Structure formats: C-alpha cells, structure tokens
Amino acid sequence: MNGSIIAILLACLWLTGCNDRQALKPAFDTYLSRVANVLGVDAPSLGEPPPLPTLPAQRRLQLPQPRVSAGLLDTLKLGECRLLGLVSEHNSPIGKSQNAGAVLLYHLHFQQGLEDCLAQSHDDELHAWLAALQQQKAPLLPGYHWNMMVAEPEIRAALTPRQRPVPPDHRGFQSTLHAFALFADLQRQAAGHLSLKGIDATEFNSRLGGLYNNHYLGELYYSLHSAAHYLQQSLDFLQRLTQFDCDPAGQADAERLRNAMEHYYIKDIQGQLSELDRRFAQLAPLLAQSLSAPTERYSAMAEYRNWYASGLESQIYVRYRRLTLEHARAWQDFLRRCNLSPG
C-alpha cells in the first residue's frame, strides 16, 4: 500500500515538473481554441516539432595537435622565464591526463609567460629563441580552444539540443551565460589577444562546473524551435481571418476575435516569447565566438553553426523571428480591414 502511494506521488511530481515546462503549448492551445470558437470551427491540434540538428560526434570534430618539443639545453632556458615549473607540471603523469580545458589553460599561460619574458629579456640569443618558440606555438592555440569546446563533457552536454523547453523561471541561464562568456574570452585569447584578463584554473573550473547537469542552452534551442512550430501552425489556421466578413453584421465577432488575440496571445504568450528572444540574444554572440570552427572542421560543424551559432543570423532564431512578425502582421491586416484598433 505504502509503495503504491509513493509511486503515485512520484508520478504526480514528475508530471507536475513536465507541466511546468509545457506552459507555451497549452497557451497556444487555449489561444487557438478561443479564436476557433468565435469563428465557429474546430481548433487545430498542435503537433510536435520535428527533431533538431544535433551536435556532431566528438571524433568528427576534435583536432590532432602537433607537439612542439625542444632539447634539454633549450628547455633549461625556460628557467630564465620562470616557466620550467609550469612545463614540468604539464609533462608529469597527472599533467598528461588533463582534460581539454586544462590543456588550453596551460598553453595560454605558457604563451603569456613567453610574452612577458620577451618583454623583459636583454639577451639577444635568448630573445631570438623565445620569439621562434612563440611563433611555433601561437598558431596552435585556436586548435586547443576548439578541442575544449568539442571534447569537454559538460560543454558537449550543454550544446546538445534537448526535447523539452526551458523552465518558466529560466533557471540555469545565468550559469550558462557566465560559462560561455568565459569560453568566448578564451577564444579571443587563443586568437592572439593575450592582453585580456588571464583566467586561472579555479575560475575556469567554477564556470565550467556551472554547466554540470545544466541543460538550459539545449532547452532554449527547443523552446525557440517549438515556438516557431506553434506559430507556423497558428498562421496556417489564421488564414481564415482573410475570409472573415467585416461588414456591420460581423463587427461584434470581429471585436471578440480581437479580444481573444489580445487576452490569450498578447497576455499569455507574447511575454514568454519575448523572454526567449531576450535570453538567446544575450547568448548568441558568445556562441558564435566560442564555436569559431577551424578550417579543417568547418564542414563537419557547418549545420550546427548555421542553426545555433551564427549569432542573430542563426537559423533557429531567424525562423522564430520571421514567424513572430508574420503572426503580428496577420492580426494587423485583420484589424485594419475590419477598422478595429488594438484594445
């Protein structure tokens, strides 16, 4: 008996959690049913959105990185730059098992150490050797950043599209924003802007940790995608407005249609859509910066970047915005034709 009660309670909690995330679809259902009621027709049944393009497998995206090595005597020169400790730690058994993020941080810190040493060195021979080493390693830095973005488990999980919308309180957004702001910063540093604020391992791990079990970004993808899907289905249904009789006999129903739109769309749906828009607009430039694909992986990453990581030109956002505006124009045309002003 007790087991049955617990099972029922767990099922209720599970369903409540799902329903909390499904606020947009019921809102569209209610909105379209109210419009259909005024028109005297059946409301459309909203179908599920089609699957989204996913993140390619890690093996298709990760880049092999050449190793830059030096002889023992040359390596000892790094002692004058106080970099021997950093190199020794990186080459230790623990260092060799570091994840992709730690590897990137090592190479950025090493490159910054070379910059500082070059600025302070008055030994011509040492200066020439350091400059050559710096030129060898600098072109490799973007590859280390790329490998971090496509290999770190937390980042891959965050970038994976989900099959559920964001929660109503948008929990997980701030941690996602902070993490991708860091990744964008690291990408700029890897591209040669070493004058930017250095990132230590503690800060990196803290921000990366904010993505642990945090699927906000993938849920945001789904929310925009499903919103566009419901808007398209709504527009197909609202074609009936073009045939509506705006003569005096139909004026009362025209006003009821306007009221249904204002109460059930503007009040219950538009605010949710605006919030999705605002959140993606904040993340979009960070995604575009962080996921700048190297030439060798541009083709493998093209579909993902086109859909999600092309800033405000990302296909998922462009389609959503277009359908939002088309929906607004459908009602504007109706109100103008029936000589009605917004309430």
Side-chain angles (χ1 to χ4, degrees), residues 209-276:
L211 295 182
Y212 181 72
N213 279 344
N214 177 1
H215 300 151
Y216 180 85
L217 181 60
E219 293 166 355
L220 182 59
Y221 291 163
Y222 180 86
S223 293
L224 288 170
H225 182 54
S226 59
H229 184 67
Y230 302 145
L231 283 165
Q232 181 63 71
Q233 292 179 299
S234 299
L235 280 165
D236 294 341
F237 178 72
L238 292 176
Q239 287 296 315
R240 292 167 174 80
L241 294 179
T242 62
Q243 306 300 319
F244 185 85
D245 186 358
C246 289
D247 288 343
Q251 200 65 20
D253 278 347
E255 292 178 3
R256 290 175 63 204
L257 284 168
R258 177 194 61 189
N259 293 341
M261 178 270 294
E262 291 180 342
H263 185 80
Y264 295 104
Y265 180 79
I266 292 180
K267 180 182 174 185
D268 294 344
I269 295 175
Q270 190 166 275
Q272 294 185 59
L273 298 185
S274 297
E275 194 63 24
L276 295 175

Side-chain angles (χ1 to χ4, degrees), residues 7-21:
I8 292 170
L9 287 172
L10 288 174
C12 291
L13 287 170
W14 182 82
L15 288 170
T16 301
C18 289
N19 288 338
D20 284 346
R21 289 175 176 265

Side-chain angles (χ1 to χ4, degrees), residues 11-72:
C12 291
L13 287 170
W14 182 82
L15 288 170
T16 301
C18 289
N19 288 338
D20 284 346
R21 289 175 176 265
Q22 296 295 336
L24 199 56
K25 186 176 186 296
F28 269 100
D29 283 332
T30 302
Y31 157 58
L32 294 174
S33 69
R34 295 300 186 272
V35 172
N37 184 56
V38 178
L39 293 173
V41 298
D42 292 334
S45 177
L46 296 179
E48 292 300 314
L52 281 164
T54 191
L55 182 67
Q58 179 179 331
R59 66 180 179 276
R60 290 187 59 208
L61 298 178
Q62 201 160 0
L63 276 176
Q65 289 289 79
R67 184 176 178 83
V68 177
S69 58
L72 177 61

